[in-house]
Amino acid sequence: MAKITSGLGTSHIPLLGYLMDKGESHLEKWAPIFKGYEFTKKWIREQKPDVVILVYNDHATTFDMKLIPTFAIGCGESYRPADEGYGARPVPLVKGAPKLAWHVAESVILQGFDLTIVNEMTVDHGLTVPLSMVFGEVEEWPCQVIPLAVNTVVYPAPTGERCLALGKAIRAAVEQFPDDLTVQVWGTGGMSHQLLGERAGLINREWDLAFMDDLKNDYEKLAKISQVEYIRESGTEGSEMVMWLIMRGALNHEVQEVHRHYHVPVSNTALGHLIYENASQESEEEKAL
């Protein structure tokens, strides 16, 4: 049977991919950012996931104002890195996991979530930067990836409660898949930042750290945060943090935090990163929490 063993939260700041692609990640002013992922690179080599369900938001590369799905799951065989205006990143083709993806889509839709099924798409920095930060510079990604795109760009975004519930639905789906697979769920985006307007450059360290503290044990409280509150406290783009709740919902109620990293600023964004491992097998009562 397939099982979700762990979850990972990380920012997906495009500058990080640029620095890696240009060979500048070792420079003194950037080194503290990348140092926070050294543990992660060792950890992922030990974990060896078969599949990563990677939750991210598309930045108008596959989806634009013509089509904006709230939740979209990639069920294709592979995905090319997107050209975001300056050429595609020189990173490997992303290998899909269509058999598991179709199973998840069927199960989650029958649980009441209206997922958009996407068989052809390109993937931008929201997905490729986390892969680079975790796996490093490789000739091919060492696992299959199921892209799960969430609209956090155009109002209204899905609520935290809906995202948390989707994570739980994904967990139920994976646990019903008959193949013996080790699966991780990654929630990406954030942390606090605003790119435009009078508050451009906003970073709220206190908010970010409190969010990371509560995500482990008090995630139900985080699920009640409205999009208006996200925007007020963490900037117009800070609402990307709602995607971390999908990752958290896919894990057991009891988790162990094995790593945390926080750094500001990166460009004009706060960077957050943490890793959770499932602490134990859950009872049906615990799953209902």
Side-chain angles (χ1 to χ4, degrees), residues 139-193:
E139 292 187 3
E140 66 177 40
W141 304 120
C143 68
Q144 295 175 304
V145 176
I146 297 176
L148 183 63
V150 180
N151 171 39
T152 62
V153 176
V154 178
Y155 183 88
T159 66
E161 290 177 322
R162 192 64 170 161
C163 288
L164 187 65
L166 177 56
K168 294 178 180 181
I170 290 170
R171 173 174 53 177
V174 171
E175 290 174 350
Q176 294 165 4
F177 191 66
D179 292 3
D180 184 17
L181 295 175
T182 297
V183 180
Q184 292 182 355
V185 180
W186 297 5
T188 76
M191 296 187 96
S192 61
H193 64 299

Side-chain angles (χ1 to χ4, degrees), residues 3-6 48-54 95-98 100-101 135 142-147 174 177 181-186:
K3 61 179 179 179
I4 296 174
T5 59
S6 52
K48 298 179 179 177
D50 298 301
V51 181
V52 168
I53 300 174
L54 201 155
K95 299 173 292 185
L100 177 58
F135 291 116
C143 68
Q144 295 175 304
V145 176
I146 297 176
V174 171
F177 191 66
L181 295 175
T182 297
V183 180
Q184 292 182 355
V185 180
W186 297 5

